[in-house]
Amino acid sequence: MRIRDLLAADELSLTLLTGDPGREFHTVHITDLPEPGRYLSGGELVLTGLMWRHTPADSARFVAALVEAGVAALGAGRARLGHIPADVVSACEEAGLPLLDVPTEVSFRTIAELAAPRLTGDVRDALGRHRRLVAAVAEGAGLPELFELTAAELGITGAVLSATGEVIVGAVDDPARLARAYLTASRLPCPAGRHTVFGVGSGHRAAGWVLACDGDLMDRADLGYELAACVALERSRMEEGRRVERRLAERLVMAALTGADPAELNAGLRTCGIGATEPYAVAHVTVPRVGAGRGPDPAALGGPVAEELLGREVVAAAGADGAVALVPLRGTTVAGLAERLRHGVEVLSALPDGHVCVGLSGELTGAAAIKGGVEEAGHARRLAEARSGGVVTSDEIYTHALLLATVPGDVRRSFAGRLLGPLVDYDRRHQSELVRTLGTFLDCAGSWNACAERMHVHVNTVRYRIRRVEDLTGRDLSAMADRVDFFLALRAG
């Protein structure tokens, strides 16, 4: 039952002093104890005669106890004081707790008796829906059927999405926008344009599901919560079946890394649904912490995120520093798979407390290639981490970028600072462009004329600047070794 239902009862003559009239409560509790929290379980409409109030400071303490217990609303009677003190109103307003003014002539018992039949009816309706849901599950209904059944019962339309923006069931426009709204919301549910967004279940949002309901349900959040709970129940049931598959994948990867018998590896590959001659790729996924001690555990979160990125078509084996998934290339290529992953990672980049890093191996065939594929994908993932997230394929790691990615960040910065520091200081003091000229000169393979043309300056200006670079650093840009040092320093910084 909602507060507005009580306000609509003419015989009660209640007045809402502060708070949301759409707030729902599940029972009525009458108390004048100064510390009532131990007797409350959450969701109550608490009715009080203010017998506990002796000083204005008492109001903040009483309201804080109600909020901590999860109370839905407070109804204050005038019988003792003849009015509702301003400090009570202020405390409720600051806490976001709806406050009802109960006239002297209205007894608390009348309110409780009026609310009881409606509350009983709400429970009866919920039990009826629950029985129909259990019957549907017993008959083998899957997520689409259960979602359609429950949504119709509740009068809701919308869709369930993954945090990567994939529509799992239902229909909705611009799923990526709704997924980003879910990832960035300070609290749920939250409005998102023409929709209201709810979380499905618990856990980190990077691997979560989103319930996007058409229309504004902020005043009817209980309906969204009920539908989200139904979806979460079915998701947990689906999860049970995937746990066995994950264990098989973990055993296969571990066996490949420890050099198990090829026949055993081929059997394990077939058990994971990949034929002996079928092409596949290895994906290595992690969600590193941001800052010291913050963010999710990469090993715990990488697997669920990998599975959501891949549409739950594969399972991911948990590793010490992330997750490994063997992905069959059915009807696609490694490049196509990388593009699909980039789309999901781009949506997940809205995460405020982490960034997703994915490394992807080249095309592989047969179980003997698993070990090399895992190592290749791991190198690519480390390069993605050096870039602060994204998707890196094996084609990108066989360059200087891989070498730089394996060097600790403080060493890279020290190397760049020692070599380029004099140039940066000179540019700062003289408003010059030595660093930019050096980078362009190297990109032009040491061609004076090409560098001058690209920078729109005279070739003698380029010669003068490069001589200044050599004078300030003691290096010789006609020497290949010094050119390589400068090239790496520019990219390491």
Side-chain angles (χ1 to χ4, degrees):
M1 187 173 185
R2 300 181 184 280
I3 299 299
R4 67 160 64 94
D5 298 326
L6 289 179
L7 295 173
D10 294 334
E11 63 269 35
L12 298 181
S13 300
L14 302 179
T15 303
L16 183 66
L17 299 180
T18 184
D20 178 14
R23 182 76 66 88
E24 185 182 20
F25 64 95
H26 305 296
T27 187
V28 177
H29 183 85
I30 303 171
T31 184
D32 268 305
L33 293 173
E35 296 290 342
R38 73 183 70 177
Y39 303 105
L40 301 169
S41 57
E44 297 94 344
L45 166 62
V46 170
L47 301 177
T48 180
L50 303 176
M51 302 297 291
W52 45 265
R53 183 189 176 278
H54 302 290
T55 69
D58 295 335
S59 298
R61 285 193 294 269
F62 184 80
V63 170
L66 299 185
V67 171
E68 184 177 356
V71 165
L74 173 64
R78 295 186 183 184
R80 175 171 177 256
L81 301 176
H83 68 287
I84 308 301
D87 48 89
V88 176
V89 179
S90 177
C92 289
E93 188 171 22
E94 291 179 7
L97 185 68
L99 174 62
L100 291 169
D101 181 351
V102 182
T104 303
E105 62 273 14
V106 176
S107 73
F108 292 162
R109 181 177 177 181
T110 300
I111 297 175
E113 290 177 347
L114 188 145
R118 174 65 181 273
L119 292 170
T120 302
D122 291 343
V123 172
R124 187 164 51 248
D125 291 344
L127 288 174
R129 286 193 295 271
H130 179 72
R131 282 194 295 270
R132 288 187 287 275
L133 181 63
V134 170
V137 171
E139 293 172 5
L143 180 60
E145 295 83 5
L146 295 176
F147 179 79
E148 183 178 352
L149 169 65
T150 309
E153 292 261 8
L154 297 172
I156 295 176
T157 56
V160 176
L161 324 168
S162 71
T164 64
E166 177 204 5
V167 177
I168 298 169
V169 63
V172 71
D173 295 330
D174 199 359
R177 177 184 62 83
L178 294 169
R180 291 189 186 96
Y182 162 76
L183 291 168
T184 57
S186 58
R187 58 187 302 178
L188 296 169
C190 72
R194 297 183 295 102
H195 300 85
T196 305
V197 170
F198 295 81
V200 174
S202 58
H204 197 279
R205 292 190 192 181
W209 282 9
V210 190
L211 171 62
C213 299
D214 294 328
D216 183 0
L217 288 187
M218 295 302 291
D219 287 344
R220 303 169 59 215
D222 56 306
L223 302 182
Y225 283 134
E226 187 170 343
L227 181 53
C230 169
V231 175
L233 181 66
E234 179 59 17
R235 187 187 188 189
S236 66
R237 192 173 67 138
M238 295 163 60
E239 191 72 10
E240 286 294 328
R242 297 175 65 82
R243 287 177 183 163
V244 174
E245 298 175 29
R246 286 196 193 103
R247 284 197 292 271
L248 292 173
E250 288 170 5
R251 290 175 186 171
L252 173 61
V253 171
M254 183 60 66
L257 295 179
T258 54
D261 179 71
E264 178 187 344
L265 293 179
N266 280 316
L269 192 64
R270 289 192 298 273
T271 302
C272 291
I274 300 176
T277 60
E278 183 178 3
Y280 65 95
V282 174
H284 200 286
V285 182
T286 186
V287 186
R289 291 184 177 91
V290 177
R294 294 179 58 228
D297 179 354
L301 186 57
V305 170
E307 293 174 4
E308 292 301 327
L309 283 169
L310 296 166
R312 296 160 304 284
E313 297 168 5
V314 299
V315 294
D321 59 350
V324 175
L326 275 58
V327 190
L329 299 175
R330 293 168 185 149
T332 188
T333 62
V334 172
L337 177 60
E339 190 60 32
R340 176 183 179 184
L341 288 167
R342 287 191 180 99
H343 173 75
V345 169
E346 194 278 327
V347 175
L348 289 174
S349 67
L351 279 168
D353 61 350
H355 49 268
V356 179
C357 304
V358 181
L360 197 60
S361 74
E363 182 174 315
L364 309 170
T365 305
I370 294 176
K371 182 177 181 180
V374 171
E375 293 175 351
E376 194 173 74
H379 289 315
R381 188 264 303 163
R382 283 188 283 278
L383 182 54
E385 287 183 349
R387 295 177 178 176
S388 298
V391 179
V392 174
T393 65
S394 61
D395 292 339
E396 300 176 69
I397 67 173
Y398 297 112
T399 68
H400 67 278
L402 175 61
L403 297 179
L404 288 175
T406 60
V407 176
D410 56 345
V411 176
R412 291 199 307 271
R413 289 188 292 271
S414 176
F415 172 68
R418 280 180 175 272
L419 193 54
L420 302 178
L423 308 182
V424 174
D425 292 341
Y426 187 91
D427 282 347
R428 187 183 299 114
R429 291 197 309 270
H430 297 88
Q431 301 299 308
S432 56
E433 294 187 312
L434 294 188
V435 174
R436 177 169 173 256
T437 303
L438 172 62
T440 306
F441 180 73
L442 294 174
D443 286 344
C444 293
S447 169
W448 306 102
N449 291 325
C451 180
E453 183 178 348
R454 185 178 295 184
M455 296 191 70
H456 306 290
V457 298
H458 195 275
V459 67
N460 288 338
T461 301
V462 174
R463 292 181 185 275
Y464 168 77
R465 292 178 180 175
I466 294 301
R467 280 198 300 272
R468 290 298 297 155
V469 169
E470 294 175 329
D471 292 342
L472 290 167
T473 61
R475 300 298 185 106
D476 180 5
L477 276 161
S478 66
M480 178 59 70
D482 285 345
R483 286 192 184 187
V484 170
D485 283 347
F486 277 123
F487 177 83
L488 294 176
L490 287 167
R491 280 149 183 81

